[in-house]
Amino acid sequence: MIRLLLAEDQGMMRGALALLLNLEPDIEVVAEAGTGEQAVAAALRARPDVALLDIEMPDGSGLDTAAVLRERLPSCRVLILTTFGRPGYLRRAMEAGAGGFLVKDGPVQELASAVRRVLAGEQVIDPALAAAALSAGPNPLTERERDVLTGAVDGATVADIAARLHLSESTVRNYLSAAIGKTGTRNRIEAARTARANGWL
């Protein structure tokens, strides 16, 4: 049996996936989690063969969780499942050690097959997303530019972002200006939106 950890923050979706995957003759969902922190704790406790992680979760995204599992439970293979087919997410998932990346609109048989293939050591990637990631190129933003843009997503002022990141306001303006230039946008709101749409944040 393939021992599977299922991490998804939406309870109904998690329950439906668990039900469907448990119908497979060779897959058993041995742990479920609704946050990144819960997923790590459950994985260390249950020692699954494969962790199926949603990308958007509180207390640690699927990408953060994948990186932690690679370090703390290297025997566990990771498959990222997401609603958001963003090219930058795919690149970051691979960098975090994920063995696969699928969008949620596929059939459950495809998901079960992906779990088996990831466990066998294959890379399983949604083909349309792979093509988009190749055409989008690498993330042009530095870590600090990403931090500053993340702060700008909710409409925070330069002073708010500076206080949150312990930077001077002029430094924040410089990072924002660089990020706006690299994303080819007109202002920080557009830059943040573009960066998020590409999965760079």
Side-chain angles (χ1 to χ4, degrees), residues 53-57 60-69 78 80 88-98 101 199 201:
L53 307 176
D54 182 26
I55 212 162
E56 296 274 333
M57 294 188 292
S61 71
L63 300 173
D64 299 329
T65 304
V68 173
L69 290 180
V78 170
I80 299 283
Y89 278 172
L90 171 58
R91 194 175 293 273
R92 287 167 58 199
M94 297 300 108
E95 287 168 0
F101 194 99
L201 296 184

Side-chain angles (χ1 to χ4, degrees), residues 175-189:
Y175 283 131
L176 286 172
S177 177
I180 290 165
K182 288 178 180 180
T183 54
T185 53
R186 294 173 298 178
N187 57 52
R188 60 189 169 157
I189 302 299

Side-chain angles (χ1 to χ4, degrees), residues 21-36:
L21 288 167
N22 274 326
L23 292 174
E24 297 293 319
D26 58 341
I27 296 175
E28 180 187 6
V29 177
V30 295
E32 295 181 35
T35 71

Side-chain angles (χ1 to χ4, degrees), residues 122-178:
E122 290 183 49
Q123 288 275 355
V124 182
I125 299 167
D126 181 272
L129 193 55
L134 285 172
S135 64
N139 184 346
L141 303 171
T142 66
E143 186 176 347
R144 264 311 192 193
E145 288 162 0
R146 289 196 304 269
D147 290 343
V148 167
L149 273 187
T150 300
V153 167
D154 60 4
T157 65
V158 169
D160 293 336
I161 298 167
R164 197 177 308 157
L165 297 176
H166 308 291
L167 297 170
S168 71
E169 291 184 30
S170 62
T171 301
V172 168
R173 282 192 192 89
N174 288 341
Y175 283 131
L176 286 172
S177 177

